[in-house]
Amino acid sequence: DPPGTPRMATAVTASATAATRFTRLAGIGLRRSSCRPRTAVRFQRPGLTTTALLRPTELKPKDQGQPETLDYRVFLVDGGGRKVSPWHDVPLRAGDGAFHFIVEIPKESSAKMEVATDEAYTPIKQDTKKGNLRYYPYNINWNYGLLPQTWEDPTAANADVEGALGDNDPVDVVEIGERRANIGDVLRVKPLAALAMIDEGELDWKIVAISLDDPKASLVNDVDDVEEHFPGTLTAIRDWFRDYKIPDGKPANRFGLGNKPTSK
């Protein structure tokens, strides 16, 4: 790759050693240069080229259209007002073991927002089904979104999780801090645990993390700390994602790895 070009991280396999699962999931191959405060990045594919000189702390969401309409989009813009891609242009690593996290769905909301992976600059939009806007049957209780520059490979079978294939989307994050974030916010988070959700046969990892700005961030560093300082939260996250499709007449989702959260 040319200097300064980050590689797309691929969630291919979970290691048999729990301590290395998240490192592989997040993409150990990303260049260390992506951790620098000011990072030149470039993404290309037929019909789409974006180039940006990013200061992640300056990135801000910018609305286009009216919320809860088919045309509504939330773009990410840099300090000069230029559009950048929340998926491709934001560095994954934030330094000191932290990662950047893009908020798609704020806590205590139900509109099913997601990055439009097939649109220029991959803005965040509300998902649709048969032309209708999609909503969860009840509010999600945590900030929810993605790790930039990650992708769950739909051709790679994970031997540790029933041979399930990736879901062809970025890796998901459930952020458990107390603050309700906004759509398009870029937060620095640290991973605490992971749940291996299996959705209609596809592996759909849920990385449990906390914003470094949260008052309890210094108290939690791994899965056991979550149980101590956020008792019941990991079970609540698993049950929420297991059951949210049931009101629509679909079967419950399943979880690999013994139906338990693994360490970071």
Side-chain angles (χ1 to χ4, degrees), residues 109-179:
S109 64
S110 64
K112 193 175 187 302
M113 308 297 294
E114 61 181 25
V115 161
T117 58
D118 59 349
E119 296 183 13
Y121 300 105
T122 64
I124 299 169
K125 68 174 184 178
Q126 190 166 352
D127 191 22
T128 61
K129 184 175 182 180
K130 296 181 179 180
N132 297 316
L133 296 171
R134 294 185 65 187
Y135 295 86
Y136 290 119
Y138 30 73
N139 284 352
I140 190 168
N141 306 124
W142 312 274
N143 294 311
Y144 184 59
L146 65 96
L147 290 172
Q149 300 190 32
T150 61
W151 174 65
E152 301 209 47
D153 189 344
T155 69
N158 190 312
D160 292 328
V161 189
E162 305 177 18
L165 303 174
D167 72 349
N168 200 34
D169 280 326
V171 176
D172 296 326
V173 174
V174 183
E175 194 276 316
I176 62 174
E178 67 176 21
R179 182 176 76 88

Side-chain angles (χ1 to χ4, degrees), residues 211-254:
S211 172
L212 296 186
D213 294 333
D214 192 82
K216 290 187 177 181
S218 63
L219 302 176
V220 287
N221 293 290
D222 213 329
V223 62
D224 293 336
D225 300 330
V226 180
E227 289 295 348
E228 179 180 354
H229 296 285
F230 294 83
T233 295
L234 292 171
T235 298
I237 292 171
R238 183 197 62 195
D239 292 353
W240 195 97
F241 283 98
R242 180 192 65 197
D243 297 340
Y244 79 89
K245 290 186 175 181
I246 293 177
D248 292 332
K250 294 184 178 181
N253 290 319
R254 300 185 299 109

Side-chain angles (χ1 to χ4, degrees), residues 184-195:
D185 280 353
V186 181
L187 305 182
R188 296 176 69 240
V189 301
K190 59 179 174 180
L192 305 172
L195 286 158

Side-chain angles (χ1 to χ4, degrees), residues 189-209:
V189 301
K190 59 179 174 180
L192 305 172
L195 286 158
M197 191 176 92
I198 302 172
D199 182 355
E200 298 182 10
E202 295 180 335
L203 182 56
D204 187 4
W205 286 98
K206 305 301 179 189
I207 304 302
V208 180

